[in-house]
Amino acid sequence: MAEGTGAAQVEELMASAMSELEAADSLDRLEEWRVSYMGRRGRLTQILRSLGGMSPEERRFVGGAANRVKALLEESLGQREQAIKRAQSRGSGDQDAFDVTLPGWPMPQGGLHPTTRIVREILSVFQSMGFQVVEGPEVEWERYNFEMLNIPKDHPARDAFNTLWVDYEDENGDKPMLLRTHTSPMQARYMEQTKPPIRIVSPGNSYRYEATDATHEWQFTQIEGLAVDRGVTFANLKGTLFEFARRIFGEDRQVRFRCDFFPFVEPGVDMSIDCFSCGGSGCRLCSGTGWIEIMGAGMVHPKVLEAAGVDSYIYTGFAFGMGPERIAMLKYGIDDIRLFHANDLRFLKQF
Ligand code: PHE
């Protein structure tokens, strides 16, 4: 082999190898290409074999170039192979391919908490009757929670509201702040701010320092209602709450009012609905009585109107308060109020 020819061959081989590699568009053609250059009788292999017949100087020169080209061709071969495989898997339904016909992974979908649902449902019933939704603070002054609702200090009714007091002292050393024990303070707050006519419903958290059991939680939701205007009567209270019961518990519901005592209403009542589970004959749900108590209500006490600056000679009103969790328990057959705050997805996912 003449001097210099080897080097020119390597150079020419490199150029043709690269352009043919570029043109190889299947794994079969890639294999043909590999055999024709680097197979046992391939062109590059032959050059490497012919090194033995060269002068030492030429051998070093051509050998070095041929080995660098070999490394380069092997690397390019690998890259080309990857590219062809990628292109193939994109186009066909092969194993590693992305199969567009497969169903996707379902994204877990959240939902509204059952308390939120029932609160919204109850509110919308009252909204449709012209009541407006307002909200107030959960950390409340003793004045709104008790005094303005005709529950002065040392009044025995305070015993019924086991109060969580806030650790805050005023300048007299008194502790006048608490976690509201009911949503009734919103009656006083709203009347203080707004002239009648008033028609509001006010949902929110309430707190009582109580042992928990299946029907008691120390934190629970309440919905307060208040309507104040000239000539509001007990008949208005009955009509409004009857309509509420029918809309939430069904068209055939009967309601029953019995005397009850709350310092901020006079007369005060508790309202029951006939048991929708047994139809009034008596079952476990209604403890055999045929009736289920669902809320407290009454005509706003004149002292409460006056304390909030409403003239009780001109205006009268009714108020009611209910526990949405208890309403949801009845409506959906939930037997433990603690489930509402237990964060158990098996429970929550049912709503
Ligand atoms: N606030 C009372 C309670 O928590 C319920 C109630 C509200 C009763 C309004 C009468 C009028 O028990």
Side-chain angles (χ1 to χ4, degrees):
M1 200 178 284
E3 171 110 15
T5 321
Q9 262 185 331
V10 172
E11 211 164 284
E12 190 266 331
L13 175 140
M14 161 92 178
S16 69
M18 287 311 275
S19 77
E20 281 173 38
L21 182 65
E22 201 60 41
D25 54 4
S26 70
L27 292 178
D28 287 345
R29 288 194 57 192
L30 214 57
E31 178 60 11
E32 281 166 27
W33 177 89
R34 190 191 65 78
V35 171
S36 79
Y37 285 97
M38 293 183 289
R40 261 198 300 140
R41 280 190 241 139
R43 289 171 59 188
L44 186 61
T45 315
Q46 279 176 9
I47 292 176
L48 289 165
R49 282 209 187 122
S50 67
L51 291 175
M54 294 179 191
S55 65
E57 209 175 300
E58 195 186 16
R59 187 186 308 143
R60 205 181 315 123
F61 184 69
V62 176
N67 277 315
R68 279 196 297 281
V69 168
K70 189 175 180 210
L72 193 81
L73 292 188
E74 275 167 354
E75 194 191 325
S76 306
L77 172 68
Q79 286 171 357
R80 188 75 192 123
E81 192 178 333
Q82 289 295 313
I84 290 173
K85 280 187 177 158
R86 265 201 305 277
Q88 278 182 348
S89 67
R90 229 178 281 134
S92 73
D94 121 333
Q95 288 257 303
D96 323 316
F98 181 76
D99 181 354
V100 293
T101 66
L102 277 175
W105 293 104
M107 293 293 281
Q109 204 183 10
L112 291 176
H113 191 276
T115 306
T116 307
R117 278 180 189 278
I118 193 77
V119 165
R120 289 191 184 179
E121 197 179 328
I122 294 169
L123 293 179
S124 79
V125 169
F126 287 106
Q127 281 173 301
S128 76
M129 291 191 268
F131 285 74
Q132 194 188 334
V133 179
V134 295
E135 286 180 75
E138 292 171 28
V139 178
E140 185 55 283
W141 298 105
E142 181 180 16
R143 192 161 71 89
Y144 289 107
N145 196 85
F146 289 129
E147 257 100 72
M148 290 180 74
L149 297 176
N150 194 29
I151 315 175
K153 273 201 173 51
D154 306 321
H155 190 289
R158 288 206 181 190
D159 290 350
F161 299 104
N162 301 309
T163 308
L164 285 154
W165 294 91
V166 172
D167 197 7
Y168 159 77
E169 272 182 25
D170 65 13
E171 57 278 11
N172 307 319
D174 292 331
K175 288 192 173 165
M177 271 191 144
L178 46 75
L179 297 185
R180 66 178 176 191
T181 59
H182 50 178
T183 44
S184 300
M186 278 309 285
Q187 294 183 32
R189 278 182 177 272
Y190 198 79
M191 286 191 283
E192 206 177 48
Q193 298 288 323
T194 318
K195 292 256 150 305
I198 290 168
R199 265 181 294 177
I200 55 157
V201 273
S202 189
N205 284 319
S206 305
Y207 304 83
R208 285 184 202 173
Y209 183 55
E210 277 183 341
T212 58
D213 62 30
T215 52
H216 297 85
E217 261 283 27
W218 62 271
Q219 179 192 335
F220 52 96
T221 316
Q222 276 201 342
I223 295 179
E224 192 77 12
L226 174 71
V228 181
D229 202 353
R230 290 169 196 264
V232 172
T233 70
F234 199 88
N236 300 131
L237 179 160
K238 283 174 89 173
T240 306
L241 296 183
F242 187 30
E243 176 63 11
F244 156 78
R246 281 159 39 99
R247 296 266 289 274
I248 296 290
F249 291 105
E251 286 292 307
D252 306 325
R253 271 320 35 86
Q254 300 297 308
V255 296
R256 179 183 77 173
F257 293 90
R258 288 191 307 182
C259 286
D260 200 348
F261 174 75
F262 302 95
F264 31 94
V265 286
E266 181 59 36
V269 294
D270 63 57
M271 177 175 126
S272 303
I273 53 175
D274 63 328
C275 181
F276 50 85
S277 175
C278 63
S281 56
C283 65
R284 248 192 56 175
L285 186 66
C286 58
S287 349
T289 64
W291 293 94
I292 300 170
E293 210 174 296
I294 59 167
M295 71 172 104
M299 299 306 290
V300 182
H301 199 292
K303 281 193 178 171
V304 175
L305 295 172
E306 295 293 338
V310 175
D311 190 337
S312 65
Y313 282 92
I314 303 175
Y315 296 107
T316 52
F318 67 81
F320 56 88
M322 69 182 97
E325 282 97 353
R326 290 208 172 161
I327 306 262
M329 286 170 79
L330 294 168
K331 193 169 162 150
Y332 302 121
I334 300 162
D335 58 10
D336 195 323
I337 198 169
R338 290 168 292 196
L339 286 166
F340 287 92
H341 284 149
N343 270 344
D344 186 335
L345 285 178
R346 291 170 304 177
F347 170 70
L348 296 174
K349 275 183 174 166
Q350 295 176 57
F351 297 92

